[in-house]
PDB file of all heavy atoms in Angstrom:
ATOM      1  N   LYS A  11      88.285 104.723 122.990  1.00  0.00           N
ATOM      2  CA  LYS A  11      89.356 105.300 123.802  1.00  0.00           C
ATOM      3  C   LYS A  11      88.947 106.653 124.421  1.00  0.00           C
ATOM      4  O   LYS A  11      87.959 107.276 123.992  1.00  0.00           O
ATOM      5  CB  LYS A  11      90.608 105.445 122.933  1.00  0.00           C
ATOM      6  CG  LYS A  11      91.128 104.098 122.424  1.00  0.00           C
ATOM      7  CD  LYS A  11      92.463 104.260 121.704  1.00  0.00           C
ATOM      8  CE  LYS A  11      93.003 102.936 121.218  1.00  0.00           C
ATOM      9  NZ  LYS A  11      94.358 103.058 120.644  1.00  0.00           N
ATOM     10  N   TYR A  51      98.814  96.876 127.250  1.00  0.00           N
ATOM     11  CA  TYR A  51      99.672  97.169 126.091  1.00  0.00           C
ATOM     12  C   TYR A  51     101.110  96.695 126.324  1.00  0.00           C
ATOM     13  O   TYR A  51     102.040  97.243 125.734  1.00  0.00           O
ATOM     14  CB  TYR A  51      99.639  98.666 125.784  1.00  0.00           C
ATOM     15  CG  TYR A  51      98.391  99.111 125.051  1.00  0.00           C
ATOM     16  CD1 TYR A  51      97.462  99.962 125.646  1.00  0.00           C
ATOM     17  CD2 TYR A  51      98.137  98.707 123.742  1.00  0.00           C
ATOM     18  CE1 TYR A  51      96.322 100.389 124.964  1.00  0.00           C
ATOM     19  CE2 TYR A  51      97.007  99.115 123.057  1.00  0.00           C
ATOM     20  CZ  TYR A  51      96.109  99.959 123.660  1.00  0.00           C
ATOM     21  OH  TYR A  51      94.989 100.361 122.969  1.00  0.00           O
ATOM     22  N   ARG A 104      88.132 105.508 112.523  1.00  0.00           N
ATOM     23  CA  ARG A 104      89.271 106.382 112.834  1.00  0.00           C
ATOM     24  C   ARG A 104      89.325 107.602 111.914  1.00  0.00           C
ATOM     25  O   ARG A 104      89.687 108.695 112.356  1.00  0.00           O
ATOM     26  CB  ARG A 104      90.569 105.586 112.775  1.00  0.00           C
ATOM     27  CG  ARG A 104      90.761 104.711 114.024  1.00  0.00           C
ATOM     28  CD  ARG A 104      91.968 103.834 113.890  1.00  0.00           C
ATOM     29  NE  ARG A 104      92.292 103.111 115.115  1.00  0.00           N
ATOM     30  CZ  ARG A 104      92.912 101.945 115.127  1.00  0.00           C
ATOM     31  NH1 ARG A 104      93.276 101.363 113.991  1.00  0.00           N
ATOM     32  NH2 ARG A 104      93.194 101.359 116.277  1.00  0.00           N
ATOM     33  N   ILE A 111      97.702 109.518 115.513  1.00  0.00           N
ATOM     34  CA  ILE A 111      98.082 108.102 115.655  1.00  0.00           C
ATOM     35  C   ILE A 111      98.036 107.620 117.108  1.00  0.00           C
ATOM     36  O   ILE A 111      97.781 106.454 117.379  1.00  0.00           O
ATOM     37  CB  ILE A 111      99.467 107.835 115.021  1.00  0.00           C
ATOM     38  CG1 ILE A 111      99.717 106.331 114.857  1.00  0.00           C
ATOM     39  CG2 ILE A 111     100.585 108.526 115.797  1.00  0.00           C
ATOM     40  CD1 ILE A 111     100.929 105.985 114.022  1.00  0.00           C
ATOM     41  N   GLY A 112      98.255 108.517 118.048  1.00  0.00           N
ATOM     42  CA  GLY A 112      98.220 108.141 119.463  1.00  0.00           C
ATOM     43  C   GLY A 112      96.794 108.144 119.992  1.00  0.00           C
ATOM     44  O   GLY A 112      96.342 107.180 120.611  1.00  0.00           O
ATOM     45  N   ASN A 114      93.668 107.650 118.864  1.00  0.00           N
ATOM     46  CA  ASN A 114      93.049 107.182 117.621  1.00  0.00           C
ATOM     47  C   ASN A 114      91.672 106.532 117.813  1.00  0.00           C
ATOM     48  O   ASN A 114      91.289 105.641 117.061  1.00  0.00           O
ATOM     49  CB  ASN A 114      94.014 106.284 116.845  1.00  0.00           C
ATOM     50  CG  ASN A 114      94.366 105.010 117.588  1.00  0.00           C
ATOM     51  OD1 ASN A 114      93.988 104.853 118.744  1.00  0.00           O
ATOM     52  ND2 ASN A 114      95.073 104.119 116.926  1.00  0.00           N
ATOM     53  N   HIS A 117      90.336 100.900 119.684  1.00  0.00           N
ATOM     54  CA  HIS A 117      91.272  99.782 119.571  1.00  0.00           C
ATOM     55  C   HIS A 117      90.542  98.619 118.930  1.00  0.00           C
ATOM     56  O   HIS A 117      89.353  98.436 119.148  1.00  0.00           O
ATOM     57  CB  HIS A 117      91.750  99.367 120.977  1.00  0.00           C
ATOM     58  CG  HIS A 117      92.482  98.069 120.985  1.00  0.00           C
ATOM     59  ND1 HIS A 117      93.792  97.958 120.603  1.00  0.00           N
ATOM     60  CD2 HIS A 117      92.066  96.805 121.292  1.00  0.00           C
ATOM     61  CE1 HIS A 117      94.166  96.688 120.690  1.00  0.00           C
ATOM     62  NE2 HIS A 117      93.138  95.977 121.106  1.00  0.00           N
TER      63      HIS A 117
HETATM   64  P1  CMP B 201      95.956 100.356 119.134  1.00  0.00           P
HETATM   65  O1  CMP B 201      95.352  99.727 117.933  1.00  0.00           O
HETATM   66  O2  CMP B 201      95.134 100.444 120.351  1.00  0.00           O
HETATM   67  O3  CMP B 201      97.295  99.546 119.481  1.00  0.00           O
HETATM   68  C1  CMP B 201      98.477 100.146 119.945  1.00  0.00           C
HETATM   69  C2  CMP B 201      98.351 101.617 120.103  1.00  0.00           C
HETATM   70  O4  CMP B 201      99.578 102.318 120.230  1.00  0.00           O
HETATM   71  C3  CMP B 201      97.743 102.200 118.845  1.00  0.00           C
HETATM   72  O5  CMP B 201      96.411 101.820 118.726  1.00  0.00           O
HETATM   73  C4  CMP B 201      98.018 103.672 119.033  1.00  0.00           C
HETATM   74  O6  CMP B 201      97.085 104.287 119.904  1.00  0.00           O
HETATM   75  C5  CMP B 201      99.376 103.628 119.726  1.00  0.00           C
HETATM   76  N1  CMP B 201     100.437 103.941 118.761  1.00  0.00           N
HETATM   77  C6  CMP B 201     100.857 103.172 117.751  1.00  0.00           C
HETATM   78  N2  CMP B 201     101.858 103.799 117.071  1.00  0.00           N
HETATM   79  C7  CMP B 201     102.055 104.980 117.685  1.00  0.00           C
HETATM   80  C8  CMP B 201     102.947 106.065 117.472  1.00  0.00           C
HETATM   81  N3  CMP B 201     103.832 106.042 116.467  1.00  0.00           N
HETATM   82  N4  CMP B 201     102.871 107.120 118.301  1.00  0.00           N
HETATM   83  C9  CMP B 201     101.980 107.135 119.332  1.00  0.00           C
HETATM   84  N5  CMP B 201     101.108 106.124 119.584  1.00  0.00           N
HETATM   85  C10 CMP B 201     101.142 105.067 118.773  1.00  0.00           C
END
Side-chain angles (χ1 to χ4, degrees):
K11 298 187 179 186
Y51 282 114
R104 283 174 173 152
I111 194 169
N114 64 353
H117 168 79

